[in-house]
Amino acid sequence: LPLKVVQIDDGWMKAYGDWTGTNERFSDGLEAVARELDGLGLTPGLWIAPFTVQHSSALFQEHPDWMVRDELDRPLALDVEWAEPREPWHVLDASREDVRERLTEWFRLFRRWGFRYFKLDFLFTALARGVRAEPVTRAKAYRLGLEAIRRGAGEDAYLLACTAPYHPSVGLVDGVRASHDIHPGGEFWP
């Protein structure tokens, strides 16, 4: 097939937020997959929802303080009715320096594994209305998070933003996917 990029899509991880390990379907790990794709002359690509954290994830269990908060100072819980498994999604608070450091670490690791193309999905979650650790706008927190991702991925990586706000993404991503499930309205958009 005349392919240039092969992207591993949603379903390789144990839970959203647990991005450094894989589930049983990828028992050899993602580094082996990236090496194989690279050996075939293809660009290895990886799907990730970097700001989205499932309630059952190890990340949420270890760092509930890293999440955007609700008005009662609890981790904000997004009810995404079509999500499987059916459980709350939480949102990483990219206004926090420790969260940005973790984002950078993840993408440096993905690069070491060999990935050079990243489909960043569900980016709208970073704009959820809630309380952030630092007094910045939702758009500013989102941009801080994208900057951290870009630092880790490197300038030569291709970042495709999906379900993303257009204006705050400018200059930090290489492309934005637009399709029937992208719309300017809804509770998560400014």
Side-chain angles (χ1 to χ4, degrees), residues 6-25:
V6 173
Q7 174 201 297
I8 307 303
D9 207 58
D10 186 2
W12 58 268
M13 66 291 162
K14 292 179 183 175
Y16 292 6
D18 296 340
W19 303 117
T20 59
T22 58
N23 60 35
E24 64 282 350
R25 292 183 288 174

Side-chain angles (χ1 to χ4, degrees), residues 12-187:
W12 58 268
M13 66 291 162
K14 292 179 183 175
Y16 292 6
D18 296 340
W19 303 117
T20 59
T22 58
N23 60 35
E24 64 282 350
R25 292 183 288 174
F26 290 86
S27 57
D28 290 338
L30 290 180
E31 186 173 8
V33 175
R35 260 196 320 268
E36 185 174 344
L37 292 171
D38 193 54
L40 295 170
L42 300 166
T43 298
L46 188 63
W47 175 97
I48 181 173
F51 300 115
T52 306
V53 179
Q54 283 177 286
H55 188 77
S56 62
S57 69
L59 178 69
F60 180 74
Q61 301 309 312
E62 294 166 15
H63 295 289
D65 55 313
W66 284 9
M67 306 303 139
V68 172
R69 317 300 287 181
D70 68 14
E71 64 280 351
L72 298 175
D73 198 36
R74 300 172 302 201
L76 184 68
L78 305 180
D79 181 22
V80 184
E81 62 188 40
W82 44 263
E84 289 295 330
R86 189 89 163 94
E87 65 179 275
W89 282 6
H90 303 287
V91 181
L92 277 177
D93 180 358
S95 78
R96 295 175 58 109
E97 180 65 31
D98 46 6
V99 167
R100 294 192 304 273
E101 288 171 5
R102 181 64 60 93
L103 289 165
T104 299
E105 288 171 15
W106 285 338
F107 282 84
R108 281 189 181 135
L109 176 64
F110 301 148
R111 284 305 302 263
R112 280 196 306 275
W113 287 349
F115 291 96
R116 299 184 306 275
Y117 173 96
F118 300 97
K119 178 182 176 185
L120 309 175
D121 211 350
F122 303 132
L123 294 181
F124 68 88
T125 62
L127 294 175
R129 289 177 176 87
V131 179
R132 286 160 177 79
E134 296 298 323
V136 298
T137 66
R138 293 179 291 149
K140 177 64 176 177
Y142 170 78
R143 282 192 66 83
L144 289 169
L146 279 185
E147 289 168 359
I149 289 168
R150 177 55 81 184
R151 269 192 305 280
E155 290 299 319
D156 60 335
Y158 190 93
L159 300 181
L160 176 64
C162 300
T163 58
Y166 299 134
H167 293 101
S169 301
V170 171
L172 295 171
V173 299
D174 300 289
V176 177
R177 186 194 76 176
S179 70
H180 65 86
D181 65 347
I182 308 297
H183 57 85
E187 68 176 285

